[in-house]
Amino acid sequence: MRISVSPSPPLAVRGEIVHFTDDPAERGSDACAHFPDGLLLIRDGHVLDCGPAAELESKLPTDARRVDYSGKLILPGFIDTHTHSAQTEIIASHGEHLAEWLEKYAWPAEARHAAPAHAASEAGFFCDQLLRHGTTTAMVFTTVHPVSADALFEAARARRMRMIAGKVLMDRNCPPALRDDPALGDAQSRALIEKWHGRDRLAYAVTPRFAPTSSEEQMRLAGRLFSEIPGLYLQTHLAEQRAETAWAMRLSPNARSYLDIYERFAHIAPRSNFAHCLWIDDEDCRLMAERGAAVSFCPTSNLFLGSGLFDLARARRFGLRVGLGTDIGAGTSFSMLQTLAEAYKVLRLAGQTLTPEAGFYLATLGGARALRLESRIGSFLQDKEADFIVLDPHATPLLKARTTRAATLTERLFALMTLGDDRCVAATYLLGEIAFAQQKGTVA
Ligand code: GUN
Ligand code: ZN
């Protein structure tokens, strides 16, 4: 926290403000706060107030700094609950099933992260991509090399981003160059936790890649570490593909289900995050919900690898915490707008739907809740960290043509999530300071 004798002048950001105070799928329109001509007041990186400009203008101190984004939308920064920082360079590598895709593309890309200079440049590029796409917080797999976790934490810290990440644990069924062992993986994770966990806006996630690539001993040590240190996260993959699920069950024949393998090693708790969860059953949903674990819905990745269709209605029925993940590089876009577009289509294929409000909730407060960060980020309630984005609904001629015809906020949000991408992100702010702005000419 910054210590100052006299309070610093607030920043007053004007524009059309939209944020969510609850899940619109449950609470309807009451969950959405919308100020067509709004002001977001920020002091020392935190939200001081948010409301109609007409009401707040009169309360503004004379020394307030002002920035005017009239005609644009102001939303909380996007929260990507599942992605991989070492897979940027293999995004859009021609489709295969998961096992072949890992071998052909992911393993070689991750192996290159043993080199500190490469790890550092990739981590910087990854963070810059997140920011230019409007993502201010992410939960991230690095690689088995501690240097790749160091590089990501350093890059996020230099940019003042909120980041949860961990070194991958994997000691079997992978190339020797990417293999640790239970004791080494545990010691390396502990050293990284000591160095990064709780520092600035960073938190550590114990990261067993998935059950097939960790021995029972490694899974046991991961569970022990996860429960030992307060505030730690655990991230892994669960039931992404049918063949992978069958493989996991062959490796653990006594488990009731794939999730049960993680249960046996105490991996299911409030800060655990299971990516994909496509080939699970009701009992798995019940257990994850009971434990307060989160699941990450990664639609672009699920479509790209032909993995399956996420059942959001079932997740909601069980009261599961759901976040939205890009899952770069099996996922095909850093854009949470594009990810929402594909989420909508995945749900339509499954006979479900996604309202724009429910979608933008998922990408903001829903993600914050999945990561147990809702008291800090995800909305513009007072005292939240002022991570926000400015979206331009006229960023492309097509979007402009569509949004000019849109009669309601709902229609405009839907056009943005269907047609939008990084071109719509006019600016990204972290803790009230600009972290990315489009080139001159596109930002007013
Ligand atoms: N399962 C285990 N590792 C990975 C990965 O890197 N990407 C995806 N999509 N699934 C995985
Ligand atoms: Zn993944």
Side-chain angles (χ1 to χ4, degrees):
M1 201 188 228
R2 206 186 295 170
I3 299 167
S4 55
V5 185
S6 58
S8 55
L11 176 69
V13 186
R14 190 165 189 164
E16 181 173 358
I17 297 176
V18 181
H19 71 116
F20 297 91
T21 53
D22 212 332
D23 186 352
E26 280 172 23
R27 294 284 142 82
S29 56
D30 284 354
C32 178
H34 177 213
F35 308 109
D37 179 14
L39 264 193
L40 177 63
L41 293 188
I42 296 159
R43 194 196 300 274
D44 290 335
H46 291 74
V47 175
L48 205 55
D49 211 342
C50 177
E55 263 177 40
L56 295 182
E57 270 289 347
S58 59
K59 295 193 211 159
L60 269 186
T62 48
D63 64 345
R65 292 176 295 138
R66 289 164 187 273
V67 50
D68 192 349
Y69 288 114
S70 296
K72 297 189 174 64
L73 287 160
I74 297 168
L75 286 96
F78 292 136
I79 298 169
D80 182 345
T81 63
H82 178 76
T83 188
H84 298 253
S85 60
Q87 295 183 9
T88 313
E89 62 179 315
I90 52 151
I91 190 170
S93 291
H94 188 257
E96 309 276 348
H97 285 296
L98 174 62
E100 292 82 37
W101 183 87
L102 286 171
E103 273 183 29
K104 203 162 155 185
Y105 306 116
W107 300 152
E110 295 191 13
R112 290 192 279 278
H113 283 248
H118 180 70
S121 72
E122 287 291 295
F125 183 68
F126 175 80
C127 289
D128 289 341
Q129 285 294 307
L130 292 177
L131 292 172
R132 75 172 296 122
H133 287 84
T135 297
T136 50
T137 291
M139 183 153 183
V140 185
F141 279 58
T142 63
T143 71
V144 74
H145 317 97
V147 72
S148 116
D150 278 330
L152 182 67
F153 282 127
E154 255 151 32
R157 181 163 178 259
R159 290 162 180 76
R160 305 208 307 159
M161 297 175 80
R162 202 167 251 297
M163 192 72 75
I164 305 167
K167 162 212 132 65
V168 166
L169 298 167
M170 49 182 181
D171 65 351
R172 65 173 183 176
N173 295 319
C174 62
L178 287 175
R179 207 170 283 183
D180 56 11
D181 65 50
L184 179 65
D186 189 59
Q188 291 175 333
S189 302
R190 286 174 188 273
L192 288 164
I193 290 163
E194 183 70 29
K195 194 162 167 191
W196 298 110
H197 183 57
R199 187 167 168 193
D200 297 335
R201 308 184 81 197
L202 310 174
Y204 195 83
V206 180
T207 307
R209 182 172 210 116
F210 63 160
T213 50
S214 283
S215 65
E216 292 204 347
E217 179 59 3
Q218 181 157 72
M219 294 285 273
R220 193 182 66 73
L221 290 179
R224 192 182 73 175
L225 177 58
F226 177 41
S227 56
E228 206 179 290
I229 300 174
L232 274 189
Y233 289 82
L234 181 141
Q235 60 181 345
T236 191
H237 296 90
L238 172 66
E240 178 176 5
Q241 297 209 322
R242 271 188 153 138
E244 168 222 350
T245 304
W247 182 31
M249 296 305 291
R250 277 198 306 279
L251 291 166
S252 300
N254 297 323
R256 189 202 73 80
S257 67
Y258 191 165
L259 180 72
D260 188 40
I261 305 170
Y262 295 110
E263 166 69 350
R264 287 163 183 230
F265 299 104
H267 289 190
I268 313 174
R271 284 184 168 75
S272 33
N273 181 352
F274 294 91
H276 305 299
C277 302
L278 303 181
W279 304 100
I280 58 172
D281 63 14
D282 285 3
E283 174 55 20
D284 294 327
C285 289
R286 192 201 58 73
L287 182 63
M288 285 190 287
E290 182 188 287
R291 293 289 169 76
V295 306
S296 288
F297 173 20
C298 304
T300 74
S301 167
N302 296 160
L303 291 172
F304 186 72
L305 293 179
S307 302
L309 306 175
F310 183 73
D311 190 344
L312 181 62
R314 179 173 66 172
R316 282 193 182 127
R317 219 168 44 245
F318 280 93
L320 268 168
R321 289 170 188 249
V322 181
L324 195 65
T326 58
D327 195 27
I328 300 295
T332 52
S333 176
F334 274 85
S335 171
M336 293 293 274
L337 296 171
Q338 283 295 290
T339 305
L340 283 173
E342 301 309 278
Y344 174 79
K345 293 170 203 165
V346 160
L347 294 168
R348 294 302 298 136
L349 280 171
Q352 301 176 24
T353 196
L354 183 68
T355 66
E357 287 84 356
F360 279 87
Y361 161 81
L362 264 187
T364 56
L365 184 63
R369 285 178 168 174
L371 301 182
R372 305 255 165 191
L373 288 171
E374 65 269 35
S375 65
R376 294 168 184 248
I377 54 171
S379 78
F380 293 143
L381 294 182
Q382 200 178 20
D383 295 332
K384 294 285 178 83
E385 295 166 8
D387 289 351
F388 67 93
I389 55 175
V390 182
L391 296 181
D392 181 1
H394 292 175
T396 70
L398 185 60
L399 251 178
K400 185 174 180 185
R402 177 65 188 91
T403 48
T404 305
R405 290 242 168 261
T408 61
L409 173 67
T410 303
E411 280 185 52
R412 282 185 296 130
L413 289 178
F414 190 60
L416 262 175
M417 71 183 232
T418 306
L419 302 173
D421 52 33
D422 53 331
R423 291 169 296 176
C424 302
V425 180
T428 303
Y429 282 72
L430 295 170
L431 294 172
E433 310 247 336
I434 196 141
F436 165 78
Q438 286 278 3
Q439 301 283 315
K440 268 207 178 105
T442 41
V443 180

